[in-house]
């Protein structure tokens, strides 16, 4: 298996705080069987190994809509919450990013969350 990094590796800096984290971006045009297959099992394992190897949090950002440039919904999920390659709409609900067209992302270094 080829070891691959997530799509983005970013560094958060604020005063004396510095934290690296990674983001894997996924796009789906619609739901299937009331959910989304966001990756294959080997990819999930790869992201987990990456997080452990570099000791950094990894987030999965899933966009759903007409195209990657015209999203209807955007979800930001910590990899540690992703136990399966298929996730239901119900599972995704708490991770919905509201007003994503007009707001930026913020990484909280204390809680290791991305909003």
């Amino acid at each position: 298996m080829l070891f691959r990094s997530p799509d983005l590796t970013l560094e958060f800096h604020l005063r004396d705080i510095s934290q690296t984290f990674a983001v894997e971006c996924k796009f789906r045009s619609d739901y299937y069987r009331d959910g989304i297959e966001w990756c294959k099992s080997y990819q999930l394992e790869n992201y987990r190994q990456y997080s452990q190897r570099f000791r950094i949090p990894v987030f999965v950002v899933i966009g759903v809509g007409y195209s990657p440039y015209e999203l209807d919904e955007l979800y930001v999920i910590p990899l540690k919450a992703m136990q399966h390659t298929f996730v239901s709409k119900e599972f995704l609900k708490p991770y919905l990013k509201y007003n994503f067209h007009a707001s930026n992302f913020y990484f909280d270094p204390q809680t290791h969350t991305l909003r």
Side-chain angles (χ1 to χ4, degrees):
M1 172 176 63
L2 176 64
F3 184 76
R4 294 207 37 192
S5 301
D7 293 321
L8 303 167
T9 301
L10 305 161
E11 287 188 26
F12 174 88
H13 295 279
L14 180 64
R15 295 184 206 97
D16 60 341
I17 299 171
S18 181
Q19 172 72 50
T20 302
F21 63 97
V23 178
E24 176 63 21
C25 304
K26 299 292 184 179
F27 165 75
R28 299 296 182 264
S29 58
D30 208 348
Y31 296 95
Y32 173 73
R33 294 190 178 182
D34 215 26
I36 290 174
E37 183 176 356
W38 68 276
C39 74
K40 302 294 183 193
S41 56
Y42 73 90
Q43 292 172 306
L44 176 57
E45 185 57 33
N46 185 64
Y47 304 139
R48 287 179 179 157
Q49 287 178 8
Y50 182 89
S51 180
Q52 291 173 353
R53 180 178 181 185
F54 294 100
R55 293 187 176 104
I56 62 171
V58 174
F59 299 91
V60 178
V61 175
I62 301 173
V64 181
Y66 177 72
S67 81
Y69 308 103
E70 296 181 48
L71 297 174
D72 296 321
E73 299 164 341
L74 188 75
Y75 301 94
V76 181
I77 310 122
L79 179 65
K80 63 184 178 185
M82 302 294 258
Q83 300 302 314
H84 305 286
T85 60
F86 182 88
V87 291
S88 67
K89 278 183 171 181
E90 193 64 31
F91 170 84
L92 290 170
K93 275 184 187 179
Y95 303 105
L96 181 64
K97 181 165 176 55
Y98 294 96
N99 201 20
F100 63 90
H101 292 291
S103 65
N104 293 324
F105 287 88
Y106 176 75
F107 178 75
D108 185 331
Q110 292 180 328
T111 61
H112 288 187
T113 56
L114 182 65
R115 297 183 255 147

